[in-house]
Amino acid sequence: MNINPTSSKSAFWLGYRDNIPFWLIVAPFGMLFGAVATEAGFTIIQTMIMTSFVVAGSSQFTALTLLQDGAPTLIILATSLAVNLRMAMYSAALVPHLGRAPLGMRALFAYFLVDQSYATSINAYTDNPEMTLIQKCRYFMGSFTCLLPVWLVSTYVGALIGAKIPPEYALDFAVPICFIALSAPMMRSLPHFMAALVSMGGTLIFISAPYSTGLLIAALLAMIAGVQTENWLKRRADND
Amino acid sequence: MTDPLKIWIIIFFLGVGTYLIRFSFLGLVGDRKLPKWFTQHLNYVGVAVMPGLIIPFLVWPDATGGALDAPRLIAAIAAFGIGMWRRSALWSVIAGITTLYTLMYILG
């Protein structure tokens, strides 16, 4: 494949291409959300406005589940927003790469900052340190241009069909496969492994923390574990 | 039937809140320099967040009523191993989906 991330036009298409595998995941996930939302009593208009305004599938599912359980509005908002707090970390991680873009563009990028656009972009930026700001911006645009239409159309189709999707398709596995596919290419070094281990262990230990904040506690510990391992390896290399 | 006003309130505040979370650093920090120790931690954001999102689905899958499930576990390991080896999300997704469906078919 000779698409070159360091040419601007190619950078857009590279971002687009790198996200095509996630069609396989975003499409069933969107359909599932559409179906569950209409079952929960959402009109098609409410479903579509939610999905295009929030653009964060797992928090939308959280909100739906709590709504159906009859939870109070404030609890629903606090819990679903906590699910999205990880995006503040994505936002910070992109600053060294996209921070010099004009404010209007950063405001647009913020709207499209999802797990896939963050993960594929940061991987491309790390693998190609010679990418310029414009190329990085184009790559990011390519990533969300690839996925947003699929997310919207599949939600709409799911809302129209409405009926339950048969369990034989094992769609419950779309979400974990998605995050596995996003994180596996990030495992570059021992510190990354340590961070991943602490993230998994921490999530299990803090699973019952209020408002699903366990993940955030685990993530902070995991970042510290990654940096400490990195520093330890550096010290060991210096001593040799 | 849920009160439509409650639905609209949730859609609005979840949308605005989520946007502000995403905008936070990218929007407000901009091109100011972040301290070195901070950016060093940021290199691990992806591997610190995503494995934690995966693990509850593996340990307590909804579809099996929360019991460990061999096809899901093996599919996850296949997706992870292949994705890491090929450094590719595409191969990871393909490996995961084929393994899961094959095992579910065999074990019926």
Side-chain angles (χ1 to χ4, degrees):
Chain A
M1 190 71 67
N2 47 23
I3 301 183
N4 178 5
T6 54
S7 102
S8 298
K9 201 176 155 205
S10 296
F12 178 89
W13 288 113
L14 198 70
Y16 193 94
R17 195 199 69 183
D18 287 349
N19 279 273
I20 291 177
F22 295 102
W23 285 350
L24 286 173
I25 280 156
V26 169
F29 196 48
M31 280 179 65
L32 203 59
F33 175 75
V36 174
T38 38
E39 259 172 59
F42 276 50
T43 63
I44 288 188
I45 294 190
Q46 284 167 332
T47 308
M48 290 316 292
I49 289 183
M50 184 182 206
T51 217
S52 50
F53 187 42
V54 181
V55 210
S58 31
S59 70
Q60 293 171 217
F61 270 109
T62 308
L64 279 186
T65 314
L66 291 172
L67 251 176
Q68 281 178 304
D69 291 347
T73 307
L74 271 182
I75 300 292
I76 297 178
L77 284 172
T79 310
S80 324
L81 284 172
V83 171
N84 287 341
L85 269 182
R86 68 180 188 285
M87 293 171 185
M89 301 190 211
Y90 299 164
S91 182
L94 286 173
V95 167
H97 299 285
L98 301 175
R100 282 179 299 129
L103 181 64
M105 200 176 268
R106 280 181 280 136
L108 183 73
F109 288 170
Y111 171 61
F112 294 109
L113 181 50
V114 296
D115 298 288
Q116 291 88 349
S117 58
Y118 156 74
T120 54
S121 298
I122 212 83
N123 257 334
Y125 302 162
T126 315
D127 287 344
N128 305 286
E130 71 284 6
M131 279 174 94
T132 64
L133 175 64
I134 292 177
Q135 288 157 354
K136 286 177 175 179
C137 290
R138 297 246 163 104
Y139 186 99
F140 193 86
M141 285 185 210
S143 72
F144 65 70
T145 309
C146 176
L147 292 179
L148 189 69
V150 179
W151 172 244
L152 297 179
V153 170
S154 59
T155 309
Y156 186 64
V157 171
L160 285 183
I161 299 174
K164 276 209 159 74
I165 298 159
E168 299 89 89
Y169 291 102
L171 285 188
D172 62 294
F173 214 61
V175 177
I177 286 276
C178 175
F179 289 117
I180 290 171
L182 289 172
S183 54
M186 291 180 173
M187 298 295 158
R188 297 191 154 78
S189 65
L190 182 66
H192 291 88
F193 268 103
M194 290 305 294
L197 280 179
V198 172
S199 166
M200 292 194 275
T203 308
L204 293 180
I205 292 170
F206 299 110
I207 195 84
S208 46
Y211 309 127
S212 47
T213 47
L215 174 74
L216 298 172
I217 303 171
L220 290 176
L221 293 175
M223 282 190 271
I224 296 171
V227 170
Q228 289 309 316
T229 313
E230 187 187 322
N231 291 346
W232 176 75
L233 286 174
K234 242 184 257 160
R235 278 198 303 274
R236 216 179 52 158
D238 290 345
N239 289 341
D240 282 346
Chain B
M1 184 70 201
T2 314
D3 172 18
L5 182 65
K6 187 173 175 181
I7 293 182
W8 285 118
I9 289 175
I10 287 169
I11 292 175
F12 179 78
F13 285 102
L14 184 57
V16 171
T18 303
Y19 182 78
L20 291 178
I21 290 171
R22 287 167 164 151
F23 186 73
S24 58
F25 286 91
L26 197 52
L28 300 179
V29 178
D31 60 354
R32 267 166 300 206
K33 215 131 179 77
L34 292 167
K36 177 120 197 324
W37 67 267
F38 193 72
T39 50
Q40 202 192 357
H41 284 83
L42 291 180
N43 290 335
Y44 296 97
V45 164
V47 287
V49 170
M50 291 178 185
L53 287 168
I54 298 162
I55 200 75
F57 287 97
L58 292 185
V59 182
W60 301 287
D62 261 348
T64 61
L68 270 184
D69 179 57
R72 285 179 170 76
L73 210 56
I74 297 169
I77 294 169
F80 190 79
I82 302 278
M84 208 172 68
W85 172 48
R86 306 292 311 171
R87 300 275 328 266
S88 145
L90 176 62
W91 285 109
S92 181
V93 170
I94 292 174
I97 292 176
T98 355
T99 312
L100 181 66
Y101 283 164
T102 313
L103 287 176
M104 284 184 22
Y105 180 77
I106 294 172
L107 303 174

